[in-house]
Amino acid sequence: MILEGIDIQCISFVAPTIVEAWGIEMGGFGIVFTAGLIGAVIGAAVFGPLGDKFGRKPIILTNVIFFGVGTLVTPLASDIESLVTIRFLASLGLGGVTPNCIALVSEYAPTRFKALFISIIAVSPLTGGVLGGLFSRSVIPIFGWEGVFYIAGGVSIAALVPVIFLPESIRFLVATRQKNSQIVKIMNRIDQSTQYIPGDHFYLKGEQQGTKKLSDLFTKELLWVTLFLWLALAANLFMMVLLINWLPLLLDQQGVARGTAILSVSVLNFGGIAGGIALAIISDRIGIYRTLFTASLFASLATALIGVTAPQILPMMACIFLSGFLGLGTYAGFATLAASVYPVHIRSTGIGWALSIGKCGAAIAPLSVSAALAYGLSIPAVYSAAGIIGLVATISIPLIYWRGAGQNAKADIIF
């Protein structure tokens, strides 16, 4: 997941160099970012259900190959059109790996640490983004922008070796009634107090087994849970992606030094990494709904206050850090929530579609800011509007709980 974060953000780090080398307008590069985002949306929606059908492990392997090769061949692009095509194809794998990694981890994590384990996975791409920025800054002067993709792609392909040794989801194996000998082997590693043999049979308590259909997300029990979860993710990512994309430009217009404005995005990401882990620990102790509601509420407030505090550096940076800590931390918590509200037979499907809808909200954010500024909205008002959108995510959390989410995740394996 860290490599996914590096590979998906590489294009942002090298964009100025490519624009200069190819002699194109900066605005013309936007289609490359859009192609990558659309590819990630489609990848999550397509490969999530495939993980439920064929297993988490083979789909994770396929996606690592997809984005590793896609990253490795990116320097072969010679113009915007070919770069758009390559980045779209690579992003299919980048979007598809996330729901299956979250599903696999959620099914093996100890119950008392589940939120923490899933949040570590969910914030790993942020870590990749931080590392990728430092890595690109060192590589580009020596090897050019092409070197960033050659190295990142090569390391991603090398990562296939440890990925091969991942265990398949035991809940998937039991739910699909296959490879009983593999189930026995895994069970003997998990429960060493009992000796299981190939003739033993297993089932999932309280879990539906058999078919895996997208329509299962809209059954009577899950319809409103699915819709409110989608709304929460879309609103949260709208607010956070708006900041990630626009902070440097908006702060620059408010009189903040350019170097400090660029640094603000790193502060936001570091806040997200810390927040994802901290909120997970709190969730494991006081409950995920209470934690996410409180964090989302104050993330919206912190976001709205950025425009008021700028250009005063300390209060401004404090608001940016809190926005990342609470807002991106809430996004990581939504990944945990998505893994808990869906039964195992549609878990990857549910996570994949939730993340895809969330990315649709993210896709709208940059264009919305352009329209708002063209309409004459002030910069502080832009931050306030982002905070208001964040409140939509906050309100959605108790609605998910109210509709009975979490009752479908009782998945203990019974001998």
Side-chain angles (χ1 to χ4, degrees):
M1 290 293 286
I2 291 176
L3 288 169
E4 182 219 22
I6 292 174
D7 287 7
I8 202 168
Q9 294 193 44
C10 271
I11 195 68
S12 299
F13 303 138
V14 305
T17 306
I18 295 178
V19 166
E20 183 179 359
W22 290 359
I24 59 178
E25 292 292 330
M26 180 68 77
F29 207 81
I31 191 173
V32 179
F33 298 130
T34 302
L37 184 58
I38 293 173
V41 169
I42 296 174
V46 170
F47 285 108
L50 289 179
D52 288 325
K53 183 175 183 178
F54 298 107
R56 321 302 189 212
K57 180 178 177 178
I59 300 303
I60 291 173
L61 280 166
T62 300
N63 281 284
V64 172
I65 294 172
F66 229 116
F67 75 70
V69 172
T71 302
L72 198 59
V73 303
T74 298
L76 299 180
S78 57
D79 52 35
I80 287 292
E81 289 76 16
S82 57
L83 186 58
V84 164
T85 301
I86 293 173
R87 292 311 296 171
F88 172 78
L89 294 174
S91 294
L92 290 174
L94 291 165
V97 75
T98 305
N100 286 287
C101 282
I102 291 174
L104 184 62
V105 169
S106 74
E107 290 158 16
Y108 273 112
T111 302
R112 60 193 175 128
F113 296 126
K114 180 171 289 190
L116 175 60
F117 280 33
I118 295 175
S119 292
I120 289 173
I121 291 294
V123 302
S124 291
L126 298 177
T127 306
V130 173
L131 294 176
L134 299 174
F135 151 76
S136 299
R137 184 179 180 183
S138 302
V139 169
I140 292 174
I142 303 173
F143 300 106
W145 69 268
E146 298 89 345
V148 173
F149 292 98
Y150 286 138
I151 296 173
V155 173
S156 297
I157 295 299
L160 286 169
V161 176
V163 171
I164 288 172
F165 293 98
L166 280 174
E168 181 52 271
S169 161
I170 189 171
R171 286 180 170 83
F172 169 81
L173 295 174
V174 173
T176 54
R177 304 177 187 273
Q178 59 176 294
K179 299 181 180 178
N180 198 64
S181 60
Q182 190 173 344
I183 296 173
V184 169
K185 183 179 179 180
I186 296 172
M187 284 298 294
N188 281 327
R189 290 182 61 188
I190 293 174
D191 180 12
Q192 298 181 8
S193 65
T194 304
Q195 184 61 42
Y196 299 95
I197 61 175
D200 294 335
H201 296 283
F202 306 87
Y203 65 94
L204 298 177
K205 182 181 179 181
E207 287 274 8
Q208 178 182 348
Q209 302 183 35
T211 60
K212 312 155 188 69
K213 301 176 293 184
L214 180 60
S215 60
D216 290 343
L217 301 180
F218 304 100
T219 60
K220 181 180 179 181
E221 295 79 12
L222 290 175
L223 171 62
W224 290 106
V225 170
T226 295
L227 294 179
F228 286 135
L229 179 61
W230 286 5
L231 179 63
L233 271 163
N236 174 268
L237 277 181
F238 180 100
M239 179 175 70
M240 300 318 302
V241 169
L242 183 151
L243 294 181
I244 290 171
N245 286 341
W246 280 94
L247 259 182
L249 287 172
L250 294 178
L251 294 180
D252 183 67
Q253 289 296 310
Q254 289 184 283
V256 177
R258 187 157 298 175
T260 303
I262 294 173
L263 180 63
S264 67
V265 179
S266 295
V267 172
L268 188 76
N269 276 299
F270 276 118
I273 295 168
I277 296 173
L279 294 183
I281 294 173
I282 296 171
S283 295
D284 281 328
R285 284 162 172 73
I286 69 171
I288 191 167
Y289 291 99
R290 192 178 304 168
T291 303
L292 293 186
F293 178 83
T294 305
S296 181
L297 176 64
F298 285 99
S300 301
L301 178 61
T303 299
L305 288 176
I306 294 174
V308 177
T309 55
Q312 303 171 64
I313 302 301
L314 288 180
M316 178 192 77
M317 284 299 188
C319 288
I320 291 172
F321 177 82
L322 284 174
S323 182
F325 185 94
L326 299 170
L328 291 173
T330 297
Y331 170 72
F334 281 137
T336 304
L337 194 58
S340 70
V341 297
Y342 294 115
V344 67
H345 77 289
I346 55 167
R347 184 162 294 153
S348 284
T349 301
I351 296 171
W353 274 86
L355 294 176
S356 291
I357 297 300
K359 287 183 172 66
C360 290
I364 298 171
L367 299 176
S368 299
V369 175
S370 296
L373 294 176
Y375 185 72
L377 200 67
S378 68
I379 292 177
V382 169
Y383 293 115
S384 298
I388 291 171
I389 297 296
L391 288 176
V392 174
T394 306
I395 295 170
S396 299
I397 294 167
L399 294 176
I400 296 170
Y401 180 80
W402 174 58
R403 298 305 303 187
Q407 299 307 309
N408 304 290
K410 309 299 184 184
D412 294 334
I413 295 176
I414 303 299
F415 169 63

